[in-house]
Amino acid sequence: MAHKEILLHIRERFAKFLTENQHRKTPERFTILETIYSIDDHFDVDSIYKIIKKNGMHMSRATVYNTLELLLQAGLIRKHQFSDKAAFYEKSLYNNQHDHVIVLRPDGSIDRIIEFCDPRIDAIRKDLEQYLNLKIDAHDLYFYAKPQTDGSPKT
Amino acid sequence: MAHKEILLHIRERFAKFLTENQHRKTPERFTILETIYSIDDHFDVDSIYKIIKKNGMHMSRATVYNTLELLLQAGLIRKHQFSDKAAFYEKSLYNNQHDHVIVLRPDGSIDRIIEFCDPRIDAIRKDLEQYLNLKIDAHDLYFYAKPQTDGSPKT
DNA sequence: TTGGGTGCAAATTCTTTGCAATCTC
DNA sequence: GAGATTGCAAAGAATTTGCACCCAA
C-alpha cells in the first residue's frame, strides 16, 4: 500500500472511532494524526508539538496530550515508558511488533530502537494464561544493548 | 539461608560497593537498605520514605532517591517504570526474575505483580545477539492482564 | 580536617486541570 | 445553539538541584 493510501485509511479509521465514541472531528486531531504518520520512528509529545509549530500551525500542548490519548484508545498508536522522562509513542497500525531492542548510550539516552517479533513470546503467553488462569491482553519486551564501537551491525 | 544471614550478606555487599567506589557508609544508607529488605514486594520511593518515618526515624526524600541510585549501581535493586507515575523498585539479589505479569485495575493502578522466569527468553536473546551482532546486557518482559472477577487464580 | 552526604526548599520536567473563548454537530 | 474542544496558564506529581550544615574517613 502506498503512503497516501495508508494515510487515507488511517484517517478513516480515526474518523470512525471518533464518530462511534461521540467525539468531534476537529482539524487539530487530524493534524496530529498526519504528523504522527509522517514520522517513521518513535516520538514523544514535544517532537509532535515542535513539528506542528515548525509547519507554521498553532496548537497547544494540551491538545497534543488529549489527542494522543484518543489515538491510544483507537489503537492507532502505542505508548512506551522507556524511562522516567517523557513517554514515547509509536504508530501501531501495520506495525504489530511489541518487542524492542533498545540501544542505550552510556549516558542513558536512546541511541536507536530495533523492533522485532518472535513467536516464542506468544507461546510463553499461552502457557502463562493457562498456568495462572488469567487473560493476558498485551505485552512489552525490551532488550537493552550498548551501541557498537567496532564493525557495523546487520539491522 | 535465613533472613538474618541474608541481610548480613547484603549489608556486606553494599558496604563493599560503597568502599570500592569511595562513597561513605552513612547510617541513612543502611537504614534504607534494611527497609527495602524488610519489604517482600515491589515498592516506590514514597513507601520507603513513609516506612522510615513511621519507624520514628528522620530522613529526607532526596536521601532516599540518592541511595536508591547507589543501590541500583550496586546491583542490589532493580528499577521499573510500569507507568508514567512513580518508578517501582524491587530487590534483585536472590531474585533474578526479570519477567512480570502485571495485573492492572480498570483505572490503570497495579493490582498485583507476578514474577516468573522462562528459558525461552534467553534463547531469544542469544538469537538476537547473533543476528544483530550486538551484546544484550539486560531485558524486561511485561505481560499485562486484568484482575480476576470469577474463580481464584493459581498463583 | 575536609570533602562527601544530608536535609530542606526551590527548581525542573512532564502531564493534567480549570475555565473562558471557540467551533463542531 | 448546546456542549464538546481548544488554548492558555496555573496546578500537580515525581524527581533533581543548590546550598548551608554536618559527619565519616
Side-chain angles (χ1 to χ4, degrees), chain A residues 3-4 10 28 34 38 41 67 100 103 142 147 149:
Chain A
H3 181 266
K4 208 164 188 173
I10 299 285
E28 288 83 0
E34 283 174 30
S38 75
D41 203 354
T67 303
H100 302 75
V103 184
Y142 306 113
T149 45

Side-chain angles (χ1 to χ4, degrees), chain A residues 47-109:
Chain A
S47 45
I48 294 295
Y49 176 76
K50 280 176 182 153
I51 290 170
I52 289 170
K53 283 285 184 185
K54 200 166 64 186
N55 291 348
M57 280 174 271
H58 184 77
M59 190 169 305
S60 155
R61 269 191 181 75
T63 302
V64 180
Y65 277 104
N66 290 337
T67 303
L68 289 180
E69 176 57 32
L70 289 173
L71 288 167
L72 214 47
Q73 287 171 27
L76 293 170
I77 58 174
R78 259 204 310 276
K79 184 177 183 176
H80 296 281
Q81 201 70 48
F82 291 133
S83 72
D84 55 357
K85 302 301 175 208
F88 270 74
Y89 296 83
E90 63 178 318
K91 322 190 263 274
S92 70
L93 201 55
Y94 305 125
N95 172 8
N96 274 312
Q97 322 285 69
H98 289 237
D99 308 319
H100 302 75
V101 178
I102 302 169
V103 184
L104 291 170
R105 300 192 196 92
D107 72 350
S109 65

Side-chain angles (χ1 to χ4, degrees), chain A residues 134-137, chain B residues 102-106 111 144-149:
Chain A
L134 42 75
K135 175 86 178 57
I136 291 169
D137 25 51
Chain B
I102 301 167
V103 184
L104 290 170
R105 299 190 197 95
D111 185 72
Y144 301 98
K146 291 193 200 58
Q148 295 299 125
T149 45

Side-chain angles (χ1 to χ4, degrees), chain B residues 37-86:
Chain B
Y37 273 80
S38 75
I39 297 173
D40 258 323
D41 203 354
H42 294 69
F43 54 88
D44 58 16
V45 169
D46 223 53
S47 47
I48 294 295
Y49 177 75
K50 280 177 182 155
I51 290 171
I52 289 170
K53 283 286 185 185
K54 200 166 63 184
N55 291 348
M57 280 176 271
H58 184 77
M59 190 170 306
S60 156
R61 269 190 181 74
T63 301
V64 180
Y65 278 102
N66 290 339
T67 303
L68 289 181
E69 176 57 34
L70 289 174
L71 288 166
L72 215 48
Q73 286 172 27
L76 293 169
I77 60 174
R78 260 203 311 276
K79 185 177 182 175
H80 297 279
Q81 200 71 46
F82 290 131
S83 72
D84 56 356
K85 301 300 174 210

Side-chain angles (χ1 to χ4, degrees), chain A:
Chain A
M1 230 193 294
H3 181 266
K4 208 164 188 173
E5 287 173 333
I6 289 175
L7 189 54
L8 223 85
H9 180 208
I10 299 285
R11 278 185 64 106
E12 260 171 45
R13 287 187 55 130
F14 192 33
K16 183 158 174 280
F17 169 84
L18 291 173
T19 305
E20 281 173 354
N21 294 275
Q22 286 105 59
H23 292 300
R24 290 182 181 174
K25 295 192 268 299
T26 68
E28 288 83 0
R29 288 176 176 165
F30 288 95
T31 299
I32 291 166
L33 181 68
E34 283 174 30
T35 307
I36 286 168
Y37 273 80
S38 75
I39 298 173
D40 257 325
D41 203 354
H42 294 68
F43 54 87
D44 58 17
V45 169
D46 223 53
S47 45
I48 294 295
Y49 176 76
K50 280 176 182 153
I51 290 170
I52 289 170
K53 283 285 184 185
K54 200 166 64 186
N55 291 348
M57 280 174 271
H58 184 77
M59 190 169 305
S60 155
R61 269 191 181 75
T63 302
V64 180
Y65 277 104
N66 290 337
T67 303
L68 289 180
E69 176 57 32
L70 289 173
L71 288 167
L72 214 47
Q73 287 171 27
L76 293 170
I77 58 174
R78 259 204 310 276
K79 184 177 183 176
H80 296 281
Q81 201 70 48
F82 291 133
S83 72
D84 55 357
K85 302 301 175 208
F88 270 74
Y89 296 83
E90 63 178 318
K91 322 190 263 274
S92 70
L93 201 55
Y94 305 125
N95 172 8
N96 274 312
Q97 322 285 69
H98 289 237
D99 308 319
H100 302 75
V101 178
I102 302 169
V103 184
L104 291 170
R105 300 192 196 92
D107 72 350
S109 65
I110 293 168
D111 185 73
R112 64 195 176 111
I113 296 168
I114 302 156
E115 296 189 83
F116 67 97
C117 195
D118 193 297
R120 282 170 285 193
I121 302 298
D122 203 56
I124 295 172
R125 199 211 79 227
K126 280 181 186 141
D127 289 353
L128 277 171
E129 283 191 331
Q130 186 165 29
Y131 177 63
L132 296 171
N133 183 34
L134 42 75
K135 175 86 178 57
I136 291 169
D137 25 51
H139 82 266
D140 285 310
L141 172 58
Y142 306 113
F143 281 105
Y144 302 97
K146 291 192 199 60
Q148 294 301 125
T149 45
D150 47 74
S152 58
K154 310 177 252 173
T155 311

Side-chain angles (χ1 to χ4, degrees), chain B:
Chain B
M1 227 193 296
H3 180 266
K4 207 162 187 176
E5 284 173 334
I6 290 175
L7 189 54
L8 224 85
H9 180 209
I10 300 284
R11 280 185 63 106
E12 260 171 45
R13 287 186 59 128
F14 192 33
K16 184 158 173 279
F17 168 85
L18 292 173
T19 305
E20 281 171 355
N21 294 274
Q22 284 105 58
H23 292 300
R24 293 184 180 171
K25 294 192 271 298
T26 68
E28 288 82 359
R29 288 174 176 167
F30 288 96
T31 298
I32 290 166
L33 181 69
E34 284 175 29
T35 306
I36 285 168
Y37 273 80
S38 75
I39 297 173
D40 258 323
D41 203 354
H42 294 69
F43 54 88
D44 58 16
V45 169
D46 223 53
S47 47
I48 294 295
Y49 177 75
K50 280 177 182 155
I51 290 171
I52 289 170
K53 283 286 185 185
K54 200 166 63 184
N55 291 348
M57 280 176 271
H58 184 77
M59 190 170 306
S60 156
R61 269 190 181 74
T63 301
V64 180
Y65 278 102
N66 290 339
T67 303
L68 289 181
E69 176 57 34
L70 289 174
L71 288 166
L72 215 48
Q73 286 172 27
L76 293 169
I77 60 174
R78 260 203 311 276
K79 185 177 182 175
H80 297 279
Q81 200 71 46
F82 290 131
S83 72
D84 56 356
K85 301 300 174 210
F88 270 74
Y89 297 83
E90 64 178 318
K91 320 188 266 270
S92 70
L93 200 57
Y94 304 127
N95 172 11
N96 273 313
Q97 323 284 67
H98 289 238
D99 308 320
H100 301 77
V101 178
I102 301 167
V103 184
L104 290 170
R105 299 190 197 95
D107 72 348
S109 65
I110 293 168
D111 185 72
R112 64 198 177 109
I113 295 166
I114 301 156
E115 295 187 85
F116 68 97
C117 196
D118 193 298
R120 282 169 285 192
I121 304 296
D122 204 55
I124 295 171
R125 198 209 81 229
K126 280 182 186 141
D127 290 351
L128 277 171
E129 284 191 331
Q130 187 166 29
Y131 177 63
L132 296 171
N133 184 31
L134 42 75
K135 175 86 177 59
I136 290 169
D137 26 51
H139 82 265
D140 285 310
L141 171 58
Y142 306 114
F143 281 106
Y144 301 98
K146 291 193 200 58
Q148 295 299 125
T149 45
D150 46 74
S152 58
K154 306 179 255 173
T155 311

